[in-house]
Amino acid sequence: MNKTERLLAIVMELQRSKLLTADELAEVLGVSVRTIYRDMQGLSEAGVPIIGETGLGYSLLKGYFLPPISFSVEEAVSLLLGAEFIENRFDPTFREGARSSRRKIDAILSLPIRDETNRIQKSIRLLQKDEKDIMTKEKVNLGIIREAMLEGKKLRFTYHKRIAEADGNRVTVRTVSPFGLAHDEQNGWLLLASCDLREDIRHFRVSRMSDMTMTDDTFQIPDNFNLQSYRPKDTRSIRVCAIFNSEIKDKVEEANNYYMEASESKEDGYHVTFRVRQPEELLYWILGWGADVVVTEPESLKNRVREEIEKMKERY
């Protein structure tokens, strides 16, 4: 990054943030603090209204705005692909916003950049799961969730779990305070929320929610909660061990099961250790490998596998 690019980057960072210290700018731009001081002097001499507050940092004079700048091919493709993802996976309001953003970005690109960007876009495809009903349900729910988060209102919905809880119920009605949304490649959209029933933060797959409504009850996100740094509690306490046929080792690794904790190739096969909350969480995944896997522990899961095999034999 040359000096001109760095000066533009500083103005853009200040335009994006209300206040930044020299140390913060130096870290973002990968230069020394002394270089930032010199750049600030240069920007001030060039007429950019930089305000320096001793002990606090730098900011731009209120109302100052850097005119639009051109995008590189890589920047344009990144923005357009990001907009396409939102268009495909979010609720109707954001879908329209994403479409509008794509049109605006395309409109301000120079002809050579636009042609190159279109060429690259045609060579990249964002694959979506062919689960139209689930995706439609997700998008409807996402709109309600987003509205509830903006208004600080609680949500009530029916939640359908894949595996029954200790009381044998798979379906429960939950009232929650929505803290944020996260997207997972395997599970789709997840809602992080404080659950009134469990009195703790829980994760809910948006596609498993039904009958969702926004209540009149309000909530406030705790000051110590930060979605970007939040890490869920690991409640997986049960160890599951299995031996796979060595010939399918690459397929098992490629499956990249969420619960997989350790693996090792031995003479008798590919040994894999999982860590789960309930053994049943792995039952159908294990059965999917047929005779190429043997569960060695716990005994309870070995028995469940036997039971399922007997049921299958009866049906065939």
Side-chain angles (χ1 to χ4, degrees):
M1 181 183 293
N2 59 39
K3 183 176 181 180
T4 302
E5 292 172 334
R6 193 172 64 246
L7 293 177
L8 281 172
I10 288 174
V11 176
M12 291 176 68
E13 287 295 326
L14 291 176
Q15 188 171 285
R16 194 166 60 90
S17 305
K18 292 182 178 179
L19 192 69
L20 288 172
T21 65
D23 287 334
E24 289 170 334
L25 284 167
E27 183 177 355
V28 170
L29 300 176
V31 296
S32 67
V33 174
R34 181 175 296 180
T35 297
I36 296 297
Y37 290 148
R38 287 199 299 266
D39 288 344
M40 289 302 182
Q41 181 66 32
L43 286 169
S44 296
E45 292 173 356
V48 179
I50 300 286
I51 300 173
E53 301 180 57
T54 304
L56 294 176
Y58 296 99
S59 62
L60 285 173
L61 183 67
K62 188 176 181 180
Y64 180 82
F65 188 78
L66 184 69
I69 60 174
S70 61
F71 293 113
S72 68
V73 172
E74 292 78 10
E75 290 168 338
V77 170
S78 298
L79 290 170
L80 291 169
L81 287 177
E84 182 182 346
F85 174 83
I86 294 296
E87 186 177 338
N88 289 336
R89 297 307 299 258
F90 227 95
D91 65 272
T93 300
F94 272 89
R95 183 166 66 246
E96 290 304 317
R99 286 175 181 169
S100 176
S101 297
R102 291 175 69 182
R103 288 194 297 268
K104 289 179 180 178
I105 294 169
D106 192 60
I108 64 173
L109 296 177
S110 64
L111 186 58
I113 296 291
R114 185 184 304 153
D115 289 342
E116 183 67 9
T117 298
N118 289 337
R119 187 184 69 80
I120 293 176
Q121 271 194 287
K122 289 178 180 178
S123 66
I124 299 174
R125 180 185 175 191
L126 295 178
L127 294 176
Q128 302 292 330
K129 290 182 179 180
D130 188 17
E131 301 175 357
K132 292 182 180 179
D133 291 340
I134 290 178
M135 287 178 62
T136 299
K137 186 189 297 184
E138 271 195 348
K139 290 174 182 178
V140 171
N141 288 339
L142 285 171
I144 301 173
I145 292 169
R146 183 174 56 79
E147 185 180 358
M149 288 193 294
L150 288 173
E151 297 190 17
K153 299 287 185 67
K154 289 187 176 184
L155 291 166
R156 183 174 294 113
F157 53 84
T158 301
Y159 194 63
H160 306 260
K161 297 198 69 173
R162 185 170 62 88
I163 298 172
E165 298 191 9
D167 56 9
N169 291 327
R170 289 182 60 250
V171 181
T172 55
V173 176
R174 305 293 183 102
T175 299
V176 305
S177 303
F179 286 0
L181 285 164
H183 191 271
D184 179 86
E185 290 182 3
Q186 291 183 332
N187 299 312
W189 287 105
L190 300 171
L191 172 66
L192 277 69
S194 177
C195 178
D196 288 2
L197 180 65
R198 303 305 181 201
E199 297 183 338
D200 198 2
I201 295 177
R202 288 289 189 268
H203 305 163
F204 302 95
R205 280 184 61 168
V206 176
S207 61
R208 290 182 181 166
M209 301 173 179
S210 64
D211 306 318
M212 180 180 289
T213 57
M214 185 170 64
T215 73
D216 293 327
D217 297 331
T218 60
F219 74 94
Q220 285 189 331
I221 297 178
D223 293 335
N224 62 352
F225 179 82
N226 184 307
L227 179 63
Q228 307 306 320
S229 59
Y230 172 77
R231 294 293 180 272
K233 299 174 184 176
D234 191 347
T235 57
R236 299 174 297 166
S237 58
I238 299 176
R239 191 177 72 156
V240 173
C241 296
I243 304 175
F244 291 82
N245 187 331
S246 298
E247 294 179 1
I248 64 165
K249 172 187 173 182
D250 57 336
K251 294 181 180 179
V252 177
E253 291 177 342
E254 187 178 324
N256 192 28
N257 186 282
Y258 169 76
Y259 299 105
M260 188 182 294
E261 188 175 60
S263 59
E264 183 182 2
S265 293
K266 296 184 179 180
E267 290 185 4
D268 60 340
Y270 184 51
H271 289 239
V272 180
T273 301
F274 304 88
R275 188 76 59 177
V276 299
R277 289 176 289 272
Q278 303 176 59
E280 285 74 16
E281 289 174 315
L282 277 177
L283 176 62
Y284 297 110
W285 189 82
I286 289 288
L287 287 169
W289 296 98
D292 282 321
V293 62
V294 174
V295 174
T296 57
E297 62 175 277
E299 194 66 30
S300 61
L301 182 57
K302 291 170 65 175
N303 292 334
R304 286 288 288 113
V305 171
R306 291 192 190 99
E307 290 172 8
E308 288 298 317
I309 292 173
E310 289 301 321
K311 290 178 183 178
M312 291 169 67
K313 288 167 64 178
E314 289 177 6
R315 294 184 65 89
Y316 285 93

